[in-house]
Amino acid sequence: MKDATIDKNYLISFSKTTKYLWNDEYECFVKSVPGNGFWAKFPGKPEYPINSESNIVVLAIYGGQFVSKESYDKA
């Protein structure tokens, strides 16, 4: 398993702006909206709210694969 260390500033950035991430393991997108939580979106399916402690969210954050809003919206 990889080292679980994540930069504190990286984590804080999620509380400041909306972020869009790709999760390789689950092959889905994750959207982080400050003050509104997290959303998961599988390609071709509607987005849905998801718990911040779910594997999908945690792996997306640890993976750090940012995508554009356009990529998220088109999926």
Side-chain angles (χ1 to χ4, degrees):
M1 180 173 204
K2 291 183 179 179
D3 181 0
T5 304
I6 291 186
D7 181 78
K8 180 177 153 184
N9 291 328
Y10 172 72
L11 293 176
I12 290 172
S13 73
F14 284 87
S15 68
K16 296 181 179 181
T17 60
T18 297
K19 306 258 187 233
Y20 301 89
L21 299 135
W22 173 253
N23 180 322
D24 267 342
E25 187 160 334
Y26 286 90
E27 298 183 349
C28 69
F29 296 92
V30 172
K31 176 171 69 173
S32 168
V33 181
N36 198 15
F38 290 87
W39 300 80
K41 184 175 186 182
F42 287 84
K45 309 247 177 174
E47 69 179 4
Y48 62 93
I50 190 167
N51 186 302
S52 63
E53 296 176 5
S54 73
N55 273 348
I56 289 176
V57 172
V58 171
L59 290 173
I61 291 172
Y62 274 87
Q65 293 185 49
F66 291 103
V67 296
S68 67
K69 178 184 184 318
E70 293 77 23
S71 294
Y72 181 90
D73 290 342
K74 287 181 184 177

